[in-house]
Amino acid sequence: MCGIVGYIGQKEAYPIVLKGLKRLEYRGYDSTGVAIIQEGNLQVHKKKGKVAELEEAVVGKNMHSHICIGHTRWATHGEPSDRNAHPHLSNNGRLAMLHNGIIENYAQIKKELLSKGYTFKSDTDTEVLLNFIQDIQDNNKSTLEEALRIALKRIVGAYCILLIDQDDPETIIAARKGSPLVIGIGKGEHFLASDASPIIEYTKEVVYVNDYEIAIVKADELILKNLGNEKQTPFIQKLDMELAAIEKGGYDHFMLKEIFEQPDTIFDCLRGRLLHDQHQIVMAGVDNHIDALTNASRIMIVACGTSWHAGLVAEYMIEELCRIPVEVEYASEFRYRNPVIHPGDVIIAISQSGETADTLVALESAKEKGAFIFGVVNAVGSSIARLSHAGAYTHAGPEIGVASTKAFTGQLAVLSMMALKMAKAKGSISDERYVHLVNELASVPEKVKEILTDTSKIESIAQQYKGASDFLYLGRGYNFPIALEGALKLKEITYIHAEGYPAAEMKHGPIALVDENLPVVFVATKDMYYEKVVSNIQEIKARKGQVIAVATVGDTVLPTMSDNIMFVPEIDEVFAPLLSVIPLQLLSYYVGIYKGIDVDKPRNLAKSVTVE
Ligand code: M6R
């Protein structure tokens, strides 16, 4: 987590860094800081709270400089506070450093430094690494770059760091392992950031720094080296992203904008791949590896959070349509439990950011064991995308709201196409059903648009239940993962406790929670389980629970037994999740708004979880 930005060039550096930090706040927002060098003097300004609070705190101060590094934090070591905010200063006061990641062996190094007389102002692992670098530099009489290289060889953990030295105001030194770093190349200037969003306004030419690389960045020079001090050739890529895509575009919140973008983002995801008229699906990543995918004796799906829920939907799709066994794994469990992986095993990795540490590390170890990795990723050029042998981007565009919405439906769209394509290649689906499902999938963008045309009912339900302390979300079959996703969305941005459960499982425990105060959201669209879900609803009503149903347009039964109802258009049950999730995203959004929560930046969360 944490967002980092740096600038060196002819322009005023602080405003560029400040603006960039605002764009990166989705990565963390519990404290903010910047460091600049003014006429040989290193200055650090930092503050607990969001970027705007730092901005206010430095009003009237001289922030003039052509070099600046900045940080927006998501706390790992040490509570959010002014003193734990980055950048940190070295004991000799000459170096300032900021860091995204975790130094796992910091305690041992800190002990060594304490015994040498070093003092620490913060509780962070970052300040330890910084003073470790200073110590090496002083002892070895080495350059800062050499000292950094030596320090990094001793470090266990993940990092992206930016480092400046008041004696060298012409250079920013950066390094990465496990946490992302992009460098934008301008004319006589360079931009550094955790992702491209702070850079896009100024240049489209970028270099994604690789793990174990150090960048020595001056206004008109970029040198990349590995930890063995060998120069690396920077691979310059052109960004395919517009500034408008990362701005709010008239909506009050990014989350709302992203919910409303879904007809377009799903359409973009299908475009050029789902050739509806020809009943064909073209996906280069799948086409080129169709044998590996369809001959797999099993497929493992590895992901976290919302992406894990997309994986669960894919499990239902792939097992039903392709008849290949699928296991869906939490990346954080998978990476530590020594899973059985044979060469050629297929792993589908799902990630919006492409930077989630647990997913990334799980994939690295599976890749070492010979697994074939297929990435379903949103962020182009991200670490997971680069680590995968093949993949398909979700093309949802930058997702800024912490709660994942359009990236989720993008993942479902990609996974739907994959499942259909694999089923067709494997011959496990009849031609008739294949054509029917291709047509149904093509209809999704329009149907999502229909759901979004009138949100007034959902707003009024949110108003009615905003005071509830718990929610239960229930669904069966394809709608079970959507019950989980609905509950996660509610927890994230309303701070209301919510649980998702398979509807039938409810009577094995959660039913004890039901009373007249408990809202129970049933995802109950018309599918093969419909009658059974209706019985589950009766069971809740018999215990006076408040039923809120997501139902198929035209359903005349559910309105008679629900306290509130949200309709979605009819669709084959395989693709029901793409529609039934939309009202649940909106319900969470409006409850969050009525409760006065900053839905784009809910407490304790970060968009990109780059620490384990
Ligand atoms: O970037 P990823 O898809 O790998 O992120 C995984 C989770 O951290 C993410 O889905 C998280 O659960 C979201 N906040 C959900 O809205």
Side-chain angles (χ1 to χ4, degrees), residues 405-458:
T405 54
K406 64 174 181 170
F408 177 68
T409 47
Q411 290 164 347
L412 294 185
V414 164
L415 294 162
S416 303
M417 287 188 284
M418 267 184 87
L420 271 176
K421 191 164 176 59
M422 286 162 57
K424 178 84 170 126
K426 199 163 182 271
S428 52
I429 189 171
S430 71
D431 286 349
E432 199 186 354
R433 179 128 175 87
Y434 172 79
V435 169
H436 167 71
L437 288 179
V438 165
N439 289 338
E440 287 288 84
L441 187 53
S443 75
V444 169
E446 270 310 307
K447 289 178 178 170
V448 172
K449 202 182 266 175
E450 260 176 64
I451 302 171
L452 294 170
T453 39
D454 182 8
T455 60
S456 55
K457 177 70 188 166
I458 302 173

Side-chain angles (χ1 to χ4, degrees), residues 303-308 350-356 359 384 402-405 411 485 488-489 492 605-609:
C304 301
T306 288
S307 299
W308 187 82
I350 309 177
S351 176
Q352 186 289 125
S353 62
E355 301 294 348
T356 299
T359 311
I384 294 174
V402 161
S404 189
T405 54
Q411 290 164 347
E485 175 60 8
L488 176 65
K489 284 290 87 89
E492 281 189 294
L605 289 170
K607 182 71 184 160
S608 187
V609 186

Side-chain angles (χ1 to χ4, degrees), residues 164-226:
I164 56 175
D165 177 349
Q166 73 170 11
D167 295 342
D168 182 7
E170 307 304 327
T171 311
I172 298 176
I173 300 186
R176 88 155 256 186
K177 189 218 148 192
S179 304
L181 175 62
V182 193
I183 300 179
I185 302 167
K187 288 199 173 63
E189 58 186 356
H190 283 104
F191 307 82
L192 302 94
S194 302
D195 73 26
S197 57
I199 296 175
I200 185 76
E201 189 174 344
Y202 310 100
T203 176
K204 290 204 165 181
E205 299 211 320
V206 296
V207 172
Y208 287 92
V209 178
N210 291 311
D211 277 349
Y212 303 108
E213 282 182 347
I214 293 181
I216 299 103
V217 188
K218 298 176 186 292
D220 47 17
E221 189 180 31
L222 166 63
I223 298 173
L224 279 187
K225 291 184 179 176
N226 62 17

Side-chain angles (χ1 to χ4, degrees), residues 135-319:
D135 191 52
I136 295 170
Q137 195 182 13
D138 290 350
N139 289 338
N140 297 7
K141 304 277 174 271
S142 53
T143 64
L144 182 57
E145 187 195 323
E146 281 161 0
L148 173 65
R149 214 168 24 243
I150 297 168
L152 293 182
K153 285 186 185 157
R154 168 98 195 268
I155 289 305
V156 179
Y159 54 81
C160 169
I161 57 166
L162 300 189
L163 179 60
I164 56 175
D165 177 349
Q166 73 170 11
D167 295 342
D168 182 7
E170 307 304 327
T171 311
I172 298 176
I173 300 186
R176 88 155 256 186
K177 189 218 148 192
S179 304
L181 175 62
V182 193
I183 300 179
I185 302 167
K187 288 199 173 63
E189 58 186 356
H190 283 104
F191 307 82
L192 302 94
S194 302
D195 73 26
S197 57
I199 296 175
I200 185 76
E201 189 174 344
Y202 310 100
T203 176
K204 290 204 165 181
E205 299 211 320
V206 296
V207 172
Y208 287 92
V209 178
N210 291 311
D211 277 349
Y212 303 108
E213 282 182 347
I214 293 181
I216 299 103
V217 188
K218 298 176 186 292
D220 47 17
E221 189 180 31
L222 166 63
I223 298 173
L224 279 187
K225 291 184 179 176
N226 62 17
L227 291 188
N229 199 25
E230 293 159 334
K231 279 199 179 172
Q232 308 292 300
T233 310
F235 174 55
I236 301 175
Q237 299 188 39
K238 229 172 172 65
L239 284 175
D240 179 21
M241 186 198 277
E242 294 304 327
L243 185 60
I246 50 170
E247 295 190 329
K248 278 192 203 147
Y251 287 91
D252 289 343
H253 299 94
F254 282 112
M255 183 180 175
L256 192 63
K257 172 183 172 241
E258 287 158 6
I259 291 173
F260 273 84
E261 275 174 351
Q262 289 176 106
D264 293 333
T265 52
I266 299 170
F267 183 81
D268 286 346
C269 179
L270 302 178
R271 186 173 46 199
R273 292 167 163 173
L274 187 80
L275 308 180
H276 171 216
D277 298 342
Q278 299 153 49
H279 300 127
Q280 254 195 48
I281 297 171
V282 181
M283 298 172 89
V286 179
D287 288 320
N288 296 339
H289 300 278
I290 196 73
D291 290 341
L293 290 164
T294 53
N295 294 334
S297 55
R298 65 173 175 157
I299 291 177
M300 283 166 278
I301 298 181
V302 177
C304 301
T306 288
S307 299
W308 187 82
H309 297 153
L312 276 187
V313 175
E315 177 184 24
Y316 283 74
M317 286 176 179
I318 296 172
E319 292 207 337

